């Protein structure tokens, strides 16, 4: 929309108890980000933002600021309804914006395009535009009562007659107010209803009584799912996952079984990446061009270099950085690990708080012993080093470039470049011993 100023108010204070959680509702994650971060990401770019939080919701305010550092934070001291919550941001509302958008912090699937579309009627003289949708099951939503293109009322479920409850056109919770009339409408809202709350939805009948025009703009249900329960949270997650998978496929990622791959809103893929079935991406993952993530891998806060190969059954934990062409094989766990180009960690290994140099080969069953019960320590392995299988590398430890570690060693002291270190009792061989042993045991058993 051109030339019109706007304020977006995000309501994130107070909630029913239906989430049954100690975590504030809007901090529950969908695709790895709190609900409120998704909502803030959809706000028109040039819009001022006011977030209304509850009195003890510092964590909500912090999450809002992380998502939008410019957001103004307003506190609603007591949960007294959505209109009461909006008026907590009165100081922002009085700043003479052309449009005032109101969105709920528990409606994370809303798109920027829909918010822009809802503002359009304001430019054509409407005082209020409400986003509606056709609900498959309208239970719990406010019903939109429409007459001749005009919205005449929104009836909350608890206050609706049987006939009104049969209406399936529902209030998505997103509204666009003309800034010129917003305060006058909001201040007239009372609380004479079943819940004794100040309902934002009453703005419609008030606007009508003031002779102002109210309209509905419709959108699809998936975009406006409001989250009041854990079941609805799971449904929103499913919608978001479908969207993210489609976007990944459209950007050229090969997802062999898309419906089995879990993505985060910030998962980033280079060209020609392949993701096999059953892979979970936590937050903060970027995957370089041509990399392959094999089945049953779990990756979070990790950077995977171009052409790298991960899994099957690999777990890359936060702080993992894989260089170009690095290989992480099955049953390998990494954490805070810098694994340089071409290095191989192919089987049954833990690499934590460590650097592995380019082209190094880490044998099966190698463990970096990074924790002494009190502190974490680093292991640095030089380029081209060869760590024999089943070695325990007790940190802090430095293994030089090109060094060899004999299999089964417990290495506690630094190893210079190109040296061999092994820590192992000398092997004893007794010729013919097994024959004598079997004869002895057979006699004892009386055979
Ligand atoms: C609300 C709408 C309903 C709509 C539905 C869509 C009203 C009265 N009802 O119902 O018409 O169909 O959303 O999802 O607006 N909040 C506050 N302070 C309060 C009360 C609520 O900040 O005092 C915030 C909540 O954190 C939430 C949002 O406002 O983000 C909506 O409140 P909620 O209780 O979820 O409203 P619904 O009953 O879902
Ligand atoms: Ca809700």
């Amino acid at each position: 929309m051109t030339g019109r100023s706007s304020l977006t108010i995000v309501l994130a204070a107070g909630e029913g108890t239906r989430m049954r959680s100690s975590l504030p509702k809007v901090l529950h994650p969908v695709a790895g980000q709190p609900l409120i971060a998704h909502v803030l990401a959809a706000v028109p770019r040039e819009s001022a933002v006011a977030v209304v939080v509850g009195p003890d919701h510092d964590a909500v305010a912090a999450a809002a600021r992380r998502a939008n550092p410019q957001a103004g934070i307003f506190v609603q001291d007591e949960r007294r309804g959505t209109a009461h919550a909006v008026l907590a941001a009165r100081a922002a509302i009085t700043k003479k914006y052309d449009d005032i958008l109101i969105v709920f912090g528990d409606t994370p699937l809303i798109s920027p395009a829909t918010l822009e579309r809802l503002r359009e009627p304001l430019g054509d003289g409407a005082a209020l535009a409400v986003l509606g949708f056709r609900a498959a099951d309208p239970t719990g939503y406010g019903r939109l009562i429409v007459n001749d293109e005009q919205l005449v009322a929104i009836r909350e479920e608890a206050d609706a007659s049987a006939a009104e409850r049969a209406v399936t056109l529902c209030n998505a919770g997103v509204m666009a107010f003309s800034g010129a009339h917003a305060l006058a409408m909001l201040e007239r809202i009372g609380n004479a209803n079943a819940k004794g709350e100040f309902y934002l939805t009453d703005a419609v009948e008030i606007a009508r009584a003031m002779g102002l025009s109210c309209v509905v703009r419709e959108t699809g249900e998936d975009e406006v799912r409001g989250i009041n329960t854990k079941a609805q949270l799971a449904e929103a997650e499913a919608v978001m996952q479908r969207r993210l998978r489609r976007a990944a496929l459209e950007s050229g990622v090969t997802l062999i079984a898309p419906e089995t791959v879990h993505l985060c809103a910030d998962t980033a893929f280079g060209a020609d990446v392949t993701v096999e079935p059953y892979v979970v991406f936590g937050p903060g993952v970027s995957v370089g061009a041509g990399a392959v993530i094999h089945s049953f891998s779990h990756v979070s806060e990790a950077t995977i270099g171009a052409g790298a190969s991960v899994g099957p059954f690999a777990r890359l934990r936060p702080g993992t950085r894989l260089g170009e062409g690095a290989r992480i094989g099955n049953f390998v766990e990494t954490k805070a690990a810098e694994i340089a180009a071409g290095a191989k960690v192919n089987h049954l290994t833990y690499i934590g708080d460590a650097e592995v140099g380019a082209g190094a080969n880490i044998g099966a069953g190698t463990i970096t012993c990074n924790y002494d019960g009190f502190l974490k320590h680093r292991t640095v392995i030089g380029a081209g080093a060869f760590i024999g299988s089943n070695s325990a590398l007790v940190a802090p430890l430095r293994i030089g470039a090109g060094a060899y570690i004999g299999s089964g060693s417990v290495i506690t002291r630094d190893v210079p470049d190109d040296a061999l270190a092994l820590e192992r009792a000398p092997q004893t061989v007794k010729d013919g011993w097994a024959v004598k042993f079997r004869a002895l045991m057979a006699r004892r058993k009386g055979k």
Side-chain angles (χ1 to χ4, degrees), residues 62-438:
R65 283 211 193 84
R66 260 197 307 281
N68 182 338
Q70 267 85 54
I73 306 291
F74 296 86
V75 178
Q76 182 194 21
D77 288 322
E78 213 186 326
R79 184 195 156 91
R80 298 184 64 193
T82 42
H84 183 260
V86 171
L87 281 171
R90 179 192 292 269
I93 297 170
T94 53
K95 285 189 180 157
K96 299 206 186 308
Y97 293 97
D98 294 320
D99 303 342
I100 296 178
L101 274 166
I102 296 176
V103 295
F104 291 169
D106 70 351
T107 309
L109 300 165
I110 191 78
S111 78
T114 298
L115 291 182
E116 287 297 356
R117 194 157 60 83
L118 193 66
R119 288 172 67 187
E120 281 163 14
L122 302 182
D124 302 335
L128 179 56
V130 174
L131 190 64
F133 67 103
R134 303 273 165 190
D137 173 12
T139 310
Y141 288 110
R143 311 299 206 281
L144 299 185
I145 315 298
V146 178
N147 190 357
D148 269 359
E149 304 283 290
Q150 282 284 309
L151 177 62
V152 295
I154 306 177
R155 199 72 71 222
E156 289 306 299
E157 168 116 349
D159 303 289
S161 67
E164 286 167 339
R165 276 183 203 196
V167 171
T168 57
L169 183 61
C170 291
N171 174 24
V174 184
M175 295 189 188
F177 283 81
S178 136
H181 302 290
L183 206 54
M185 292 190 242
L186 291 166
E187 283 178 336
R188 289 189 200 193
I189 293 175
N191 63 347
N193 52 54
K195 287 192 183 162
E197 287 190 356
F198 294 86
Y199 286 165
L200 185 58
T201 44
D202 285 353
V204 173
E205 279 170 289
I206 287 166
R208 301 279 300 168
M210 291 165 74
L212 300 169
S213 149
C214 300
V215 297
V216 177
R217 286 290 175 273
E218 276 190 52
T219 189
E221 175 160 21
D222 273 349
E223 219 194 316
V224 294
R225 289 174 183 279
I227 292 166
N228 292 342
T229 65
K230 289 283 170 76
Q232 289 168 333
L233 183 69
E235 284 162 14
E237 181 77 58
V239 173
M240 187 66 87
Q241 290 299 327
R242 279 199 293 277
R243 277 191 197 169
L244 293 170
R245 290 173 195 134
R246 195 171 312 132
L249 290 164
E250 274 165 17
S251 77
V253 178
T254 300
L255 302 178
I256 293 169
E259 64 287 356
T260 67
V261 175
H262 182 95
L263 299 166
C264 274
D266 63 354
T267 309
F269 293 107
D272 292 313
V273 168
T274 297
V275 180
E276 289 186 353
Y278 299 100
V279 172
V280 174
F281 292 97
V285 175
S286 91
V287 184
V292 180
I293 316 296
H294 297 280
S295 292
F296 304 106
S297 295
H298 189 289
V299 184
S300 61
E301 288 172 50
T303 303
I304 296 172
S309 170
V310 173
F313 299 100
R315 178 168 182 218
L316 307 190
R317 290 170 53 201
T320 296
R321 296 176 68 87
L322 302 187
E324 213 175 303
R327 302 184 71 84
I328 301 293
N330 39 232
F331 306 108
V332 171
E333 174 183 348
T334 63
K335 186 215 73 172
E338 187 100 27
I339 296 173
K344 292 185 215 154
V345 189
N346 274 334
H347 333 266
L348 301 156
T349 289
Y350 173 60
I351 301 290
D353 299 306
E355 275 167 49
V356 175
N361 190 317
I362 311 295
T366 298
I367 303 290
T368 53
C369 308
N370 59 328
Y371 186 48
D372 58 17
F374 297 92
L375 297 170
K376 299 282 171 68
H377 303 281
R378 286 188 73 69
T379 301
V380 178
I381 298 172
F386 183 98
I387 312 297
S389 296
N390 207 29
S391 296
L393 308 177
V394 181
L397 186 66
R398 187 170 278 277
I399 292 171
Y404 267 69
I405 304 297
S407 297
S409 297
V410 176
I411 301 295
T412 52
R413 283 183 289 126
D414 289 358
V415 178
D417 290 0
D418 296 318
L420 165 69
L422 78 169
E423 186 277 343
R424 201 193 266 171
Q427 181 170 325
T428 314
V429 176
K430 297 183 179 175
D431 284 328
W433 178 92
V435 176
K436 288 182 220 156
F437 176 73
R438 280 193 290 270

